[in-house]
Amino acid sequence: MSFEGGGWKMGRLFLHGARLLSRGFCSLGSNRISVCIVGSGPAGFYTAEKMLKAHQTVEVDIIDRLPTPFGLVRYGVAPDHPETKIVANQFSRVAKSERCSFFGNIALGSVISLSELRENYDIVVLSYGAESDRSLGIPGEDLNGIYSAREFVWWYNGHPDCFNMAPDLKSTDTAVILGLGNVALDVARILLRPVSELAKTDISDHALASLQDSTIRKVYLVARRGPAQAACTAKELREILGMKNLHIKIQQVDLDISPSDEEELKKQRIQKRVYELLSKAASSPHCPPAEQRELHFVFFRKPDRFLPSENGCTVGAVHLEKTFLEETGKRLAVGRGEFEDITCGLVLKSIGYKSLPIDGLPFDNHKGVVPNLKGRVLSSYQRGHEAVEHGLYVAGWLKRGPIGIVATNLYCAEETVASISEDVEKGLLTAASGTPKPGRQGLLQLLENKNIKFVPFSGWEKIDAKEKMVGQQRNKPREKVTTWEDLLKASNV
Ligand code: NAP
C-alpha cells in the first residue's frame, strides 16, 4: 500500500520512530518496564492511564488496527450521545503524555503476531474488545436486509469497515430489532429520530443522507423474555419513550408479571425502574396523527426463522415463536410451539457482540472471553490447575464479555493494573535471560523490517482537525472521514 499522493512515505515512519525514541525511551534507564496495550478503546486507555500513574518507569505503547484511537467511544457510542464521548479528551491527554505512544493501523494477528509482541515487551495487555457478533443460527439469517446491530452502528458512526454497507431504508416501512439491550435502543432511536436532530450530531454523512430518504415508520423491538427481564437500562429507555411524535405500543397482557418476576424485580433496582417505565408507557393515552412514527415493544417472542420477500433474496418477515419463562434457575425463554410473523424489510440483530480469538491466545469459545484471573491470562483454567501466562493480561470486553458502559472499563482496568503491579512487585515479569526486552525500539524495528506504516497520535490529530473543520462548515461537531484510504491520507504528517 502506498499513498504517494498524500505524501505518505516509509521514510516518515522512521522519522517518527526517531522522534518517539528521543522522547523519553532512553531516560527511563534500566528499570524501564515496557508495556504494549492492544486496542485503544476505553479499556485500553484506562489501563494505560493507570499503568503510567502506578509506575514511573513504565513506558506504554498503545497499538490499534484502525488509524484512529478511542474504539467504542468513536465507533460505538451513538451520535446523539455526545456527552459520553467527552472522555476522549482525557484519553488524548494520556496518549500525549511523555511515556505513552500510539501506533494506529497495526493489526494484531495479521501485521504483527502476539508472540512478536511478547518477545519485545515485558507486559502485553490485550483490550481489543468485541468486533464480531453472536449469531442466531436460524434459517434465513443470510437474507439481504438482515444485519447485526454492530454493523449498523459502525455504518452510522462512519467506521471504515462499514462505510459502504448501504442498508436499504427506502423499500419498507417496518424494521424489526431483535434483542432489548441498550444497543437495540440506540439503533431504534437512530431509525426513528427526526433527521433534523441527527443532522446536528457527528453521524456520518452517508447515514444521514440514507435516513433522510428513509421510509421506515414502524420499529419493532422484540425480546425473547418479558419486561421484567429487559436488558436495557432506565435512563436509555426513558430517553426513547420520551421522544416527540413517537407512538409507543406495548400489549397490556405482556406486562402481567408472575410471583417469580416480582421476586426478581425486588432484587434489581434498574430492572424494576425499566418495568415501571414500560407499564407507564403502555397505559398512557395516545392519539397518533397519521405521520407519526411507531415503536412497538414485543415480549415473549423468539426468532424461529427469517422468511424471504417475494423476490426470494431479501427478508420479508420474521417468524417468531411465542415463549414462556422457566419459573426457576436462569429463567430462560422456552418455546410454546405457537408462531406468528412480523412483516418487515429490515432486521437488525442486537443480541450481543462477540470477541474474536487470535493465534497463540488462550480463548474460551463458549464464553467468548480470554480465560483470566483478575486480568492475568490463564493458559489452563481448570479449577485447581490454573496456569498463568506470565506477562500477558486482558482488560475490557475481551476479559469479561460484552457488557457494561464506558465507565465499567475504569474498574476493569484498575483490577488488571493491580494484578500487573503485584506481579512486578514479585519479580515475576523479569525476562528469563536477564536482558531487558527492547519495548518500543523493538516494535519500531519490527515495523521497519516488515515495511509497515503506522499512524502516530499526531497523525490522528490531523484526521481530527480535518473532521472538525469540515464539521464546522456543516454545523456539526465533526464530519468523520469514513474510508481507510482517506483516513490514511488525512493522517499524513
Ligand atoms: P445486552 O445488553 O447483552 O443485550 C442483548 C439482548 O439480546 C438481550 O435482550 C438478550 O436477551 C438478547 N438476546 C441474546 N441472545 C439472544 C437470542 N439468541 N435470541 C434472542 N434474543 C437474544 O447487549 P447489547 O445491547 O449489545 O449491549 C452491550 C453492552 O453495552 C451492555 O452492557 C449495554 O448496557 C452497553 N451499552 C450501553 C449503552 C449506554 O449506556 N447508553 C449504549 C449501548 C450499549 P436475554 O436477556 O433473554 O438474553
Side-chain angles (χ1 to χ4, degrees), residues 19 39 47 101 109 113 118 121 130 137 140 143 160 179 184 258 344 374 383 386 405 413 422-423 426 460:
R19 229 179 287 151
T47 303
S101 282
S113 70
R118 294 184 73 184
Y121 288 89
L143 285 166
S258 69
C344 63
K374 295 185 175 181
R383 207 170 265 260
E386 288 93 352
I405 58 170
E422 253 176 62
D423 295 349
K426 287 182 188 160
W460 151 247

Short mmCIF file of all heavy atoms in Angstrom, two decimals, residues 19 39 47 101 109 113 118 121 130 137 140 143 160 179 184 258 344 374 383 386 405 413 422-423 426 460:
data_model
loop_
_atom_site.label_atom_id
_atom_site.label_comp_id
_atom_site.label_asym_id
_atom_site.label_seq_id
_atom_site.Cartn_x
_atom_site.Cartn_y
_atom_site.Cartn_z
N ARG A 19 11.83 10.34 16.53
CA ARG A 19 11.23 11.32 17.43
C ARG A 19 10.70 10.64 18.69
O ARG A 19 10.90 11.08 19.80
CB ARG A 19 10.08 12.05 16.71
CG ARG A 19 10.17 13.53 16.85
CD ARG A 19 9.04 14.19 16.11
NE ARG A 19 9.22 14.14 14.68
CZ ARG A 19 8.20 14.11 13.80
NH1 ARG A 19 6.98 14.10 14.23
NH2 ARG A 19 8.43 14.10 12.52
N GLY A 39 -5.35 -2.31 21.44
CA GLY A 39 -6.73 -1.82 21.44
C GLY A 39 -6.81 -0.50 22.17
O GLY A 39 -6.40 -0.41 23.34
N THR A 47 -6.38 1.47 31.06
CA THR A 47 -5.24 0.65 31.50
C THR A 47 -3.95 1.45 31.37
O THR A 47 -3.12 1.47 32.29
CB THR A 47 -5.15 -0.65 30.67
OG1 THR A 47 -6.39 -1.35 30.78
CG2 THR A 47 -4.02 -1.54 31.15
N SER A 101 2.85 6.24 23.71
CA SER A 101 2.79 6.46 22.27
C SER A 101 1.68 5.62 21.66
O SER A 101 1.39 4.52 22.13
CB SER A 101 4.11 6.08 21.60
OG SER A 101 5.04 7.10 21.81
N GLY A 109 -2.31 -9.99 14.79
CA GLY A 109 -2.81 -11.22 14.16
C GLY A 109 -2.49 -11.26 12.68
O GLY A 109 -2.28 -12.32 12.12
N SER A 113 2.33 -10.43 15.21
CA SER A 113 1.77 -11.57 15.95
C SER A 113 1.89 -11.34 17.45
O SER A 113 2.71 -10.53 17.90
CB SER A 113 2.49 -12.86 15.56
OG SER A 113 3.80 -12.84 16.07
N ARG A 118 5.11 -10.27 22.51
CA ARG A 118 5.58 -10.77 23.81
C ARG A 118 7.11 -10.86 23.86
O ARG A 118 7.71 -10.72 24.91
CB ARG A 118 4.95 -12.14 24.11
CG ARG A 118 3.44 -12.02 24.31
CD ARG A 118 2.81 -13.32 24.70
NE ARG A 118 3.11 -13.67 26.08
CZ ARG A 118 2.74 -14.80 26.65
NH1 ARG A 118 2.05 -15.70 25.95
NH2 ARG A 118 3.05 -15.06 27.91
N TYR A 121 8.05 -6.95 24.50
CA TYR A 121 7.56 -6.17 25.66
C TYR A 121 7.54 -7.02 26.92
O TYR A 121 7.21 -8.21 26.87
CB TYR A 121 6.15 -5.65 25.38
CG TYR A 121 6.11 -4.54 24.35
CD1 TYR A 121 5.98 -4.82 23.00
CD2 TYR A 121 6.22 -3.21 24.75
CE1 TYR A 121 5.96 -3.79 22.05
CE2 TYR A 121 6.19 -2.18 23.82
CZ TYR A 121 6.06 -2.48 22.48
OH TYR A 121 6.05 -1.47 21.55
N ALA A 130 -14.66 -6.47 21.31
CA ALA A 130 -15.51 -7.48 20.70
C ALA A 130 -15.96 -6.95 19.34
O ALA A 130 -16.89 -6.15 19.27
CB ALA A 130 -16.71 -7.76 21.60
N GLY A 137 -28.21 -18.47 14.39
CA GLY A 137 -28.13 -19.84 13.87
C GLY A 137 -29.49 -20.38 13.47
O GLY A 137 -29.81 -21.54 13.72
N GLY A 140 -32.51 -18.66 7.19
CA GLY A 140 -32.80 -17.37 6.56
C GLY A 140 -31.92 -16.24 7.04
O GLY A 140 -32.05 -15.10 6.58
N LEU A 143 -30.29 -13.79 4.48
CA LEU A 143 -31.07 -12.98 3.54
C LEU A 143 -30.61 -11.52 3.54
O LEU A 143 -30.14 -11.02 4.58
CB LEU A 143 -32.56 -13.02 3.91
CG LEU A 143 -33.31 -14.31 3.59
CD1 LEU A 143 -34.66 -14.34 4.32
CD2 LEU A 143 -33.53 -14.44 2.08
N PRO A 160 -14.63 2.64 9.07
CA PRO A 160 -14.17 2.39 7.71
C PRO A 160 -14.49 0.98 7.19
O PRO A 160 -14.47 0.76 5.98
CB PRO A 160 -12.65 2.62 7.78
CG PRO A 160 -12.30 2.47 9.22
CD PRO A 160 -13.51 2.92 9.99
N GLY A 179 -33.74 -8.36 20.23
CA GLY A 179 -32.98 -8.08 21.45
C GLY A 179 -33.47 -6.79 22.07
O GLY A 179 -34.02 -5.92 21.38
N ALA A 184 -29.87 -2.11 21.19
CA ALA A 184 -31.15 -2.16 20.47
C ALA A 184 -31.86 -0.81 20.57
O ALA A 184 -32.40 -0.30 19.57
CB ALA A 184 -32.03 -3.26 21.05
N SER A 258 -45.33 -12.57 36.96
CA SER A 258 -45.53 -13.72 37.85
C SER A 258 -44.88 -13.43 39.21
O SER A 258 -44.07 -12.50 39.33
CB SER A 258 -44.86 -14.95 37.23
OG SER A 258 -43.46 -14.78 37.27
N CYS A 344 -41.64 -7.31 7.47
CA CYS A 344 -40.67 -6.21 7.57
C CYS A 344 -39.70 -6.29 6.38
O CYS A 344 -39.67 -7.30 5.68
CB CYS A 344 -39.87 -6.31 8.87
SG CYS A 344 -38.90 -7.82 8.98
N LYS A 374 -8.42 -12.18 37.40
CA LYS A 374 -8.28 -10.74 37.61
C LYS A 374 -7.40 -10.08 36.56
O LYS A 374 -6.53 -9.27 36.87
CB LYS A 374 -7.72 -10.48 39.01
CG LYS A 374 -8.66 -10.93 40.11
CD LYS A 374 -8.13 -10.55 41.46
CE LYS A 374 -9.15 -10.91 42.53
NZ LYS A 374 -8.74 -10.57 43.86
N ARG A 383 -10.27 -25.66 37.41
CA ARG A 383 -10.21 -25.29 38.82
C ARG A 383 -9.13 -26.11 39.56
O ARG A 383 -9.07 -27.33 39.44
CB ARG A 383 -11.57 -25.55 39.47
CG ARG A 383 -11.84 -24.67 40.65
CD ARG A 383 -13.27 -24.85 41.04
NE ARG A 383 -14.10 -23.82 40.42
CZ ARG A 383 -14.51 -22.73 41.07
NH1 ARG A 383 -14.14 -22.53 42.30
NH2 ARG A 383 -15.26 -21.85 40.47
N GLU A 386 -4.94 -23.99 37.57
CA GLU A 386 -4.78 -22.80 36.75
C GLU A 386 -3.29 -22.54 36.48
O GLU A 386 -2.46 -22.68 37.37
CB GLU A 386 -5.36 -21.55 37.45
CG GLU A 386 -6.88 -21.50 37.49
CD GLU A 386 -7.45 -22.09 38.77
OE1 GLU A 386 -6.65 -22.67 39.54
OE2 GLU A 386 -8.68 -22.01 38.98
N ILE A 405 -20.98 -0.27 30.60
CA ILE A 405 -20.85 1.03 29.94
C ILE A 405 -19.37 1.44 29.90
O ILE A 405 -18.52 0.73 30.44
CB ILE A 405 -21.71 2.10 30.65
CG1 ILE A 405 -21.30 2.22 32.13
CG2 ILE A 405 -23.18 1.74 30.55
CD1 ILE A 405 -21.93 3.40 32.85
N ALA A 413 -10.01 -1.97 34.28
CA ALA A 413 -8.59 -1.65 34.07
C ALA A 413 -7.86 -1.60 35.40
O ALA A 413 -6.72 -2.08 35.53
CB ALA A 413 -8.46 -0.31 33.34
N GLU A 422 1.18 -6.28 41.22
CA GLU A 422 1.53 -7.38 42.13
C GLU A 422 2.62 -8.24 41.51
O GLU A 422 3.60 -8.60 42.17
CB GLU A 422 0.29 -8.26 42.32
CG GLU A 422 -0.37 -8.13 43.68
CD GLU A 422 -1.62 -8.98 43.70
OE1 GLU A 422 -1.53 -10.23 43.55
OE2 GLU A 422 -2.69 -8.39 43.84
N ASP A 423 2.46 -8.54 40.21
CA ASP A 423 3.43 -9.42 39.54
C ASP A 423 4.79 -8.73 39.37
O ASP A 423 5.82 -9.38 39.47
CB ASP A 423 2.87 -9.86 38.17
CG ASP A 423 1.62 -10.73 38.33
OD1 ASP A 423 1.34 -11.14 39.49
OD2 ASP A 423 0.93 -10.99 37.33
N LYS A 426 6.52 -8.87 42.68
CA LYS A 426 7.06 -10.21 42.99
C LYS A 426 8.21 -10.59 42.07
O LYS A 426 8.75 -11.69 42.16
CB LYS A 426 5.94 -11.25 42.83
CG LYS A 426 4.91 -11.21 43.93
CD LYS A 426 3.88 -12.32 43.69
CE LYS A 426 2.72 -12.22 44.63
NZ LYS A 426 1.55 -12.94 44.14
N TRP A 460 -3.33 11.03 13.95
CA TRP A 460 -4.74 11.10 14.34
C TRP A 460 -5.18 12.55 14.52
O TRP A 460 -6.28 12.95 14.13
CB TRP A 460 -5.00 10.29 15.61
CG TRP A 460 -6.14 10.84 16.43
CD1 TRP A 460 -6.08 11.42 17.65
CD2 TRP A 460 -7.53 10.92 16.04
NE1 TRP A 460 -7.32 11.86 18.06
CE2 TRP A 460 -8.23 11.56 17.09
CE3 TRP A 460 -8.24 10.51 14.90
CZ2 TRP A 460 -9.60 11.80 17.04
CZ3 TRP A 460 -9.62 10.75 14.86
CH2 TRP A 460 -10.28 11.38 15.91
#
